[in-house]
Amino acid sequence: MAEAVAGEIKLIVFQLQAKEYAIPVEYVRGIEKVGHITRIPGVSPYMKGVINLRGVITPIIDLRIRFGLEEKKHSETTRIIIISLNEHEIGLIADTADDVIDISPEQIEPAPDVVGIEKTVFIK
């Protein structure tokens, strides 16, 4: 991967229902193809279950359901983005995750309150 220019932020870009979202690369631990997910009874519908990823039990969240979008069957391009936040790993299911971009801080808009995630950024 190319190094970011000083002052720029490196982001992993992913898609949900033809819209692009991004996560700062420092939170991303890996991007995996969707495999077997072990269901957990009694959890919220967006919580798809857990996977055993290199010996670590990782909860998996379907972002389409979490954001109130139409559920979609997983395809060859569906990916699980493994993120680490506060020393906990979580997998996020996205339609695709295939791009890394560098942006300047001036391109970031504050996240709306409804998102509920402190570290969410929006690119102008």
Side-chain angles (χ1 to χ4, degrees), residues 14-15 19 26 31 39 41 44 49 61 79 86 91 106 121:
F14 63 95
Q15 287 189 346
K19 292 191 181 203
E26 67 260 19
I31 298 173
R39 299 281 304 157
S44 298
I61 294 172
R79 295 291 182 262
N86 299 328
E106 296 82 38
V121 296

Side-chain angles (χ1 to χ4, degrees), residues 3-84:
E3 292 295 317
V5 176
E8 289 194 338
I9 301 166
K10 192 175 281 295
L11 301 171
I12 302 288
V13 178
F14 63 95
Q15 287 189 346
L16 293 172
Q17 198 167 322
K19 292 191 181 203
E20 290 186 330
Y21 301 85
I23 299 173
V25 75
E26 67 260 19
Y27 296 110
V28 177
R29 296 294 172 248
I31 298 173
E32 307 287 333
K33 287 188 174 187
V34 177
H36 175 73
I37 300 173
T38 303
R39 299 281 304 157
I40 300 173
V43 296
S44 298
Y46 62 83
M47 181 67 169
K48 287 304 189 184
V50 295
I51 62 172
N52 184 338
L53 185 63
R54 295 178 284 281
V56 176
I57 303 303
T58 305
I60 304 298
I61 294 172
D62 189 320
L63 289 177
R64 279 181 158 266
I65 298 170
R66 182 67 179 110
F67 290 166
L69 303 173
E70 180 182 341
E71 196 168 357
K72 178 182 168 186
K73 259 190 169 179
H74 298 157
S75 70
E76 193 61 35
T77 62
T78 305
R79 295 291 182 262
I80 298 177
I81 305 166
I82 307 298
I83 64 166
S84 180

Side-chain angles (χ1 to χ4, degrees), residues 69-109:
L69 303 173
E70 180 182 341
E71 196 168 357
K72 178 182 168 186
K73 259 190 169 179
H74 298 157
S75 70
E76 193 61 35
T77 62
T78 305
R79 295 291 182 262
I80 298 177
I81 305 166
I82 307 298
I83 64 166
S84 180
L85 190 60
N86 299 328
E87 299 182 23
H88 298 291
E89 285 194 359
I90 300 171
L92 306 173
I93 299 175
D95 295 347
T96 66
D98 55 9
D99 205 4
V100 177
I101 61 170
D102 296 317
I103 64 166
S104 65
E106 296 82 38
Q107 292 177 280
I108 299 175
E109 297 176 10

